[in-house]
Amino acid sequence: MTETTAPSDAELVAAAAGGSDDAFRALYRAYARPVYWLAHSLVGTAADAEDVLQETFFAAWRKLPGLELAGESLLPWLVTICRFQSANRIRRQHRDRTRTAAAVDETIPATVDVEKQVVDAALVERVIAEVGTLSPLDQQIFRLCAAEGYAYQAAADELGVSHAVVRNRLSRIRTRLRTTIEPEST
């Protein structure tokens, strides 16, 4: 019976650098667990630790052809790569959180002004009540131009009147609303 000795890390590194998938697989099996636990202690979650593990071995695979192993074990070199990959992930997560928080800050008001909302709602109710007293044509002009954003000519085409009729009537409607609504808001 012959006794076979396991290849050393230096032999596995040389074989993996030469393209041996089996040698790289042996290195992965030997060091995946300690690299994973180091990554987990640095990044804090299992999912991130798994990603760092994969990134570490991917970086190692790319750098193996130029590696000169200083000691007998590949682990110290893998630990160094793992620390760099973990630091990169932590920086990336911090940057993403900062950007996300800034985006949320831009879209959400810091406080809700209930008084302003009540005043705005009351103003809208007064405008609606005042528009209700207008002629049917004026109500349609107001709805199309002020509420739905139609241009004068588009509203005129929709209503079957001239551009000048829409422009003049809308001007009178706005003046009427300003004079009847604004004095109540002071």
Side-chain angles (χ1 to χ4, degrees):
M1 197 157 71
T2 61
E3 184 179 316
T4 54
T5 59
S8 68
D9 281 4
E11 294 169 333
L12 289 172
V13 165
S20 169
D21 291 339
D22 291 333
F24 190 77
R25 194 173 298 115
L27 290 169
Y28 183 86
R29 283 189 194 122
Y31 297 114
R33 183 166 290 177
V35 169
Y36 171 83
W37 286 114
L38 173 63
H40 192 278
S41 71
L42 295 171
V43 296
T45 67
D48 287 334
E50 289 173 12
D51 289 344
V52 169
L53 171 68
Q54 296 307 315
E55 292 164 0
T56 298
F57 274 92
F58 180 70
W61 175 74
R62 284 191 347 252
K63 295 177 181 181
L64 277 178
L67 176 66
E68 290 183 29
L69 198 59
E72 293 182 17
S73 174
L74 184 65
L75 186 58
W77 185 66
L78 291 172
V79 164
T80 302
I81 295 173
C82 179
R83 287 182 186 274
F84 283 123
Q85 294 298 329
S86 297
N88 288 343
R89 178 162 291 273
I90 292 167
R91 277 193 298 273
R92 186 170 44 247
Q93 288 173 337
H94 177 71
R95 185 178 57 241
D96 292 346
R97 278 192 302 272
T98 303
R99 287 181 182 158
T100 302
V104 168
D105 288 346
E106 292 172 4
T107 59
I108 298 175
T111 60
V112 175
D113 188 350
V114 175
E115 181 182 356
K116 183 176 181 338
Q117 289 180 344
V118 169
V119 169
D120 289 347
L123 179 61
V124 168
E125 288 176 17
R126 289 197 314 267
V127 169
I128 290 171
E130 188 63 34
V131 169
T133 65
L134 300 173
S135 70
L137 179 60
D138 286 348
Q139 287 180 17
Q140 290 178 327
I141 289 172
F142 182 81
R143 178 183 56 82
L144 290 174
C145 293
E148 296 182 19
Y150 277 57
Y152 292 157
Q153 189 59 54
D157 294 343
E158 180 82 20
L159 298 171
V161 296
S162 71
H163 177 275
V165 167
V166 171
R167 186 186 68 234
N168 292 339
R169 284 183 176 246
L170 189 58
S171 176
R172 276 189 245 133
I173 293 166
R174 288 179 176 151
T175 301
R176 180 175 172 180
L177 290 173
R178 271 193 299 271
T179 58
T180 58
I181 304 289
E182 285 182 0
E184 293 178 25
S185 65
T186 55

